[in-house]
Amino acid sequence: MNQIARSHLIMFLFALSFLVPSLEASEGDADPIYKTCLEDCEKSGCVGEMCFQHCKFSSDGKPIDGPWYLQEPLYQKWKQWDCRSDCRYHCMIAREEQRWKLGGKPIKYHGKWPFQRVYAIQEPAAVAFSAISLAIQFHGWLSFFILLNYKLPLRPDKKTYYEYTGLFHIYAILAMNFWFWSAVCHTRDVELTEKLDYSSAVALVGFSFILTILRTFDVRDEASRVMVAAPLIAFVMTHILYLNFYKLDYGNSVYESLISYPELFSYRFVLVSFITNPDLFAGLNTKVCMAMGVANLLIWGVWAGITSHPSRWKVWLFNVGGTIALLLEIYDFPPYKGFIDAHALWHAANIPLAYISWSFVRDDAVLRTSTLLKKTK
């Protein structure tokens, strides 16, 4: 492809990126059979032989026998499964079964892949992996706490020798908070749970970036730490406020559209374009988190290459695993058997990464404590 043709193609994709509102609807939303099913369900309360009590309305528009949440089982009440949600889900499943019999591939509905519910849980695999990651983070933090306070020597004032103790305690709290809300959001993604999930993710990634700078550059002076952290905290907080009160901008609308029509572009072209010109493919939140995440990997990678730390190999292992996990977020594919998609595998990849990272932190605490003890003697 010559330079002029490449320039025209980039200009086309750039213009396409301004059509986000029109691209937000997924291919499944426009399917005539799905739309007809949805309209019939909201009128009759039934999809095939399956009917929903909370879809039955009286002449004044109110549900028969009281509001729907009084008719639902208690375990479903907080998930806000209402008439429209159930109609969308069962029409989607029915339509996907028809498409599968005709040899069609899964498509997205309302921006999401067709997942199979398990006990009213929307994405069971992602929920399970998030819960395991939460447990690993808690185990890592607890082992770190026990190591510092009960196994390693303490200063005369009963404080730890490790200079980054408080920072890693904050990191642990943010990490456990993120995985908790991730599990909740993938159980049922309503506007509130999505905002809590994305806000906690931004907070974790932002603080990880601050912690990366402070540890790799060995910033121990409190004033210097404040000078480094203050502008980054302000940026992260501003972005969280933007997501919650202005626009929850996290989609890859153009990227998803190109993937929906692979006959138009090769995957190699999409991947190269994503790397060379991410503005064409990412929402603002994706750009922010991707930038800080890549910066984390690069800074730790350079540090591991020049340091003589005995556990630097764990940093390299984490970087390789983190890069693979990042590719899972870039390469989107439909859920296998309706349960496991690329994002669920990203959740699974984070389980060993969490274990490796806390293992390194414990080794680092032992090394720094030993070094400082030698200096005091």
Side-chain angles (χ1 to χ4, degrees), residues 268-334:
R268 180 182 176 187
F269 169 78
V270 174
L271 182 57
V272 170
S273 298
F274 183 91
I275 294 173
T276 57
N277 196 356
D279 287 345
L280 297 176
F281 299 89
L284 177 62
N285 190 58
T286 305
K287 297 174 190 175
V288 170
C289 291
M290 191 77 72
M292 290 190 290
V294 171
N296 274 335
L297 293 176
L298 290 175
I299 293 172
W300 276 114
V302 172
W303 180 84
I306 62 177
T307 186
S308 58
H309 198 292
S311 295
R312 60 187 178 277
W313 64 272
K314 293 182 180 180
V315 176
W316 282 113
L317 185 59
F318 180 89
N319 271 19
V320 172
T323 302
I324 294 173
L326 188 64
L327 291 176
L328 287 172
E329 283 289 85
I330 295 174
Y331 178 50
D332 192 19
F333 58 82

